[in-house]
């Protein structure tokens, strides 16, 4: 089954403790991206990747890092999480057409 | 990407057709109209997309006006499970290297009523 998976689905952490949210797709898509969703602000793109080793900033990249060492995986890294990064995060992948979204990761930073 | 305008909310009786309008008067010639929906806090779910011809799939139909300034998503027989926020997005997807970012607006909250 074609899908985008994210882990963990829920995470509560403390300020400053590094964390990684994984994203994996089994559709051999070249393009992957990360979004965050906040009440009243809709979905905003954090980072995207056009292919392996090719990444670029989206609209709200501050405080986040990404890497794309292999086509199927696109982890989102928070080196020093802060409470303003409490949000619902979605990974998406696509190839020149339809972006497919993962199930989401709800992150709470206290 | 072109800005889209949607009504903030709509109601639809269960079993009836739900017609969700979208205005995209500034859409450019290479921008497609995409529709997604989000049920509660789940990941946005792709529904359908089109450029200028009407499109139909197992989920819905998309009617695009001839001048491409507006479109309507039609769910032919709405069920309670169709209650969700529906997003209309004008999106330039180019082949080969990949697709550009999606810009989600506030969408239309569709409530299907028993």
């Amino acid at each position: 089954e074609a899908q985008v998976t994210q882990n963990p689905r829920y995470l509560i952490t403390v300020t400053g403790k590094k964390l990684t949210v994984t994203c994996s797709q089994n559709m051999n898509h070249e393009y992957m991206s990360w979004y965050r969703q906040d009440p009243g602000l809709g979905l905003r793109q954090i980072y995207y990747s056009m292919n392996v080793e090719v990444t670029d900033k989206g609209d709200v990249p501050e405080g986040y890092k990404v890497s794309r060492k292999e086509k199927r995986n696109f982890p989102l890294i928070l080196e020093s999480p802060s409470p303003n990064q409490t949000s619902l995060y979605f990974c998406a992948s696509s190839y020149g057409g339809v972006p497919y979204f993962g199930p989401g990761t709800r992150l709470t930073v206290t | 990407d072109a800005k889209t305008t949607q009504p903030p909310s709509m109601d639809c009786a269960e079993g009836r057709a739900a017609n969700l309008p979208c205005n995209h008067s500034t859409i450019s010639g290479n921008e497609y109209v995409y529709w997604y929906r989000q049920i509660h806090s789940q990941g946005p779910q792709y529904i359908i997309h089109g450029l200028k011809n009407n499109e139909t799939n197992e989920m819905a139909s998309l009617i695009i006006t001839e001048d491409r300034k507006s479109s309507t998503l039609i769910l032919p027989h709405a069920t309670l499970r169709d209650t969700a926020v529906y997003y209309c997005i004008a999106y330039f997807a180019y082949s080969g290297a990949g697709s550009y970012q999606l810009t989600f607006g506030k969408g239309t909250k569709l409530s299907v009523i028993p």
Side-chain angles (χ1 to χ4, degrees):
Chain A
E1 179 191 354
Q3 59 181 350
V4 179
T5 57
Q6 296 178 227
N7 282 292
R9 296 289 313 282
Y10 302 90
L11 179 60
I12 300 173
T13 189
V14 296
T15 299
K17 186 177 181 182
K18 180 179 179 180
L19 66 91
T20 299
V21 183
T22 65
C23 173
S24 183
Q25 49 96 1
N26 62 0
M27 297 168 280
N28 203 36
H29 287 164
E30 293 179 344
Y31 181 92
M32 298 183 74
S33 60
W34 276 101
Y35 291 81
R36 61 177 288 175
Q37 186 174 32
D38 303 287
L41 296 176
L43 280 111
R44 295 177 292 169
Q45 191 182 63
I46 304 170
Y47 267 96
Y48 65 94
S49 169
M50 303 289 270
N51 213 326
V52 175
E53 303 291 1
V54 182
T55 63
D56 208 346
K57 298 176 181 178
D59 293 331
V60 288
E62 293 76 23
Y64 304 95
K65 286 176 59 177
V66 293
S67 70
R68 188 89 182 274
K69 291 184 168 49
E70 50 190 338
K71 196 181 243 188
R72 63 182 292 125
N73 296 321
F74 189 44
L76 179 69
I77 304 156
L78 285 73
E79 295 269 1
S80 182
S82 63
N84 65 11
Q85 292 178 299
T86 291
S87 187
L88 181 57
Y89 291 87
F90 293 105
C91 178
S93 76
S94 65
Y95 177 71
V98 179
Y100 295 93
F101 285 81
T105 294
R106 186 169 290 282
L107 172 65
T108 302
V109 183
T110 62
Chain B
D1 290 340
K3 179 180 168 61
T4 61
T5 305
Q6 301 176 251
S9 64
M10 290 181 64
D11 291 339
C12 178
E14 188 178 18
R16 305 296 293 268
N19 296 279
L20 292 94
C22 179
N23 183 289
H24 32 79
S25 57
T26 61
I27 196 169
S28 62
N30 56 10
E31 285 181 314
Y32 287 69
V33 179
Y34 279 69
W35 283 84
Y36 279 77
R37 71 181 182 184
Q38 188 173 24
I39 299 172
H40 194 45
S41 294
Q42 297 176 23
Q45 179 188 19
Y46 166 78
I47 302 173
I48 199 167
H49 74 284
L51 184 62
K52 45 186 174 180
N53 297 324
N54 298 338
E55 303 287 346
T56 296
N57 62 20
E58 65 278 3
M59 287 183 69
S61 295
L62 173 61
I63 309 298
I64 303 174
T65 57
E66 194 168 338
D67 62 8
R68 299 211 328 122
K69 293 184 176 182
S70 65
S71 61
T72 301
L73 178 74
I74 301 172
L75 308 177
H77 305 287
T79 71
L80 298 178
R81 286 176 293 182
D82 292 322
T83 292
V85 178
Y86 287 77
Y87 297 98
C88 167
I89 303 162
Y91 174 52
F92 173 40
Y94 54 93
S95 61
S99 53
Y100 202 57
Q101 70 164 305
L102 288 170
T103 301
F104 285 77
K106 294 188 180 342
T108 295
K109 182 172 173 54
L110 175 69
S111 298
V112 180
I113 302 165

